[in-house]
Amino acid sequence: MKTILFALLACTFTFSVSAQVFNAYTPPTQKPPLHGRNWMAITGKPLAATAGAMTFQKGGNAVDAACAMIAATSTMWDVLSWGGETQAMIYNPNTKKVIAINALGVAPTGATPEFFKGKGLDYIPEYGPLAAVTPGTPGGIMVMLAEYGTMSLKEVLAPAMELAAGYPIEAQTANAIERGKGEIKKWPYSAKVFLTHPGEEREAPEAGEIFVQKDLLAMLTKLVETEQAALKKKKSRKEAIYAAYDRFYKGDIAKEIARGTQEQGGLITEQDLAKWEVKIEEPMMVNYKGIDVYKLSQWTQGPALLQSLNMLENFDLKAMGYNSAKYIHTLYQVMSMAFSDRDFYYGDPYFGPEEPMKGILSKEYAKERVKQINWEMNDAKIGPGDPYPFEGKVNPYSELLKQKSQASLSTPDSYEDFMRGFLAGTTSVQTADKDGWVVSVTPSGGWIPACIAGNTGIGLSQRMQSFVLNEEEGPFNVVEPGKRPRVTLTPSMALKDGKPFLSFAVQGGDTQDQNLLQMFLNVVEFDMTVQEAVEAANINSYQVSSSFGNHESIPGSLLLRSDTPPWVQKELIRMGYKLRFDDRSSGPINAIYFDWKHGSFWGGSSNYGEDYGIGW
């Protein structure tokens, strides 16, 4: 009987992927799919999607629109700010290559394990100036725009500057300010910006109130003025944008960021800002059943999705049945293995020693890992494997590996506090245009409650907490000045037959590549349309170590959607899982599917939060 029911459930999703046609027997999605022929813009807030639409309507390409949307979301604190970090993938139709943008800040001068341990800390703080890496988003926007865009910085920043001059703040952000006002009051520049009603019962703005950010507007104005002055001197568009870049990282703006950060107890120096630079990289890729899937490299958690695909390629997932107990168990075990490798082996590739990514992403290592799956019960003690033999090398951390495998996992005292960090949200940006440019971005950092750096209006990142202080927890990710932490942020892109197939990203901390993996499989294995795929029931594993706070985990903990059939629940409980439920479990995924049969775009915009898309 169970087999028949699973087969019926699987048959619910039998559409033609090539045309993304709705099956007559499929229940409608909560949000309609988006359609476009000329361009598509999807992100976390309607106003930010509108900024992308405005840019497209002025003749910009997908890179211009993405930059305008990142700037708008940063200005709206959704859920990031200008002091955060930008991770992007760009498909260049001229070279037919996928480009990776690494605009993640670095640990400042003085950020060492000894410094933080000297303050009695086991982990870097979650909030405040000591959690801050150098700002990356401004540099990311300007490099993307200069190298691959078509418009001026003035044109692209226009929507963000209008928002900074005053916009009706939405309830989500306004209420986050009110909840975080205890932290905000610790930092005078933050209190000045956020607490618009000091001394009243509610000190944060009300929903719909016009929220003005004078310091931020002044900072953005300086960037535009610098660009325009360079253009008047007959500098090229690119040179003029880089003149603004230099003012931010080497001029008066950098000076105020460093001063304001240090005044409040932070470590960032003018030299840290001047030495930092955006990296343009080659992404990592694996082929899954004829589809090339691209992720950023090991300074993100992105390769964990690629490794998971390599392992899952060894199974007939469709035959298991969508979200059957066996399918869920398989995903959980595979993700636990991939994320254990993430925690131990990932780090900044610009710092030695070299991470064993060739071994981790080899098909042979994947086959060896899946041999270790216990098909009867959850293995709550899954640890990292040893990919070095698959590179023809000996593991230099074999003793640490034994300690890691034998160590008991750190579990949280409070489930609520753990989940707040584990699911920490940001936003995602997806754009595409008729000329073939495609952009997938997961910008983040500097979320509320943020410490604002002096009179710049810039909320500092909290990303340094993703480092560890002890080598046994992850020898490649120990904090060091000038080094990037291994982040959760992870945009995605897939090509089929050499052409864009899917562009997709999601917010949600350590759940990001869990949800993106399942969304991809929903389309490729279960023939869902892109909107169905972003709304579909996903699982989340909390056995994965958090990249935030005290880096804890809850072995065997499993999130299911509330409508999971009782016989599936019963079987998972028998296998040792601790079940938790939510009425939506997909995470706020945003995606674009490329319909080459009809020459159009399909957009999927999550029904999870306030995510919104516009197509034309």
Side-chain angles (χ1 to χ4, degrees), residues 124-199:
I124 294 170
E126 290 184 74
Y127 301 111
L130 285 180
V133 294
T134 54
T137 287
I141 289 173
M142 287 186 273
V143 168
M144 289 169 62
L145 182 62
E147 299 294 332
Y148 308 108
T150 66
M151 301 177 82
S152 69
L153 189 62
K154 179 180 180 180
E155 291 172 306
V156 165
L157 292 187
M161 293 175 73
E162 191 171 347
L163 290 167
Y167 77 95
I169 194 169
E170 75 284 357
Q172 183 184 48
T173 303
N175 292 337
I177 293 171
E178 180 65 16
R179 286 195 304 272
K181 67 182 180 183
E183 291 288 330
I184 288 169
K185 288 178 180 179
K186 297 176 182 178
W187 311 306
Y189 301 102
S190 299
K192 181 181 74 169
V193 172
F194 289 127
L195 303 182
T196 57
H197 306 288

Side-chain angles (χ1 to χ4, degrees), residues 114-121 130:
E114 294 72 26
F115 172 81
F116 292 105
K117 289 179 180 180
K119 292 183 172 293
L121 298 170
L130 285 180

Side-chain angles (χ1 to χ4, degrees), residues 24 70 93 136 196 276 286 295 306 312 360 411 452 525 541 601:
I70 298 166
T196 57
W276 180 84
V286 301
K295 300 290 287 188
L306 303 182
L312 292 169
I360 285 174
T411 55
I452 290 178
E525 294 287 358
S541 164
F601 309 118

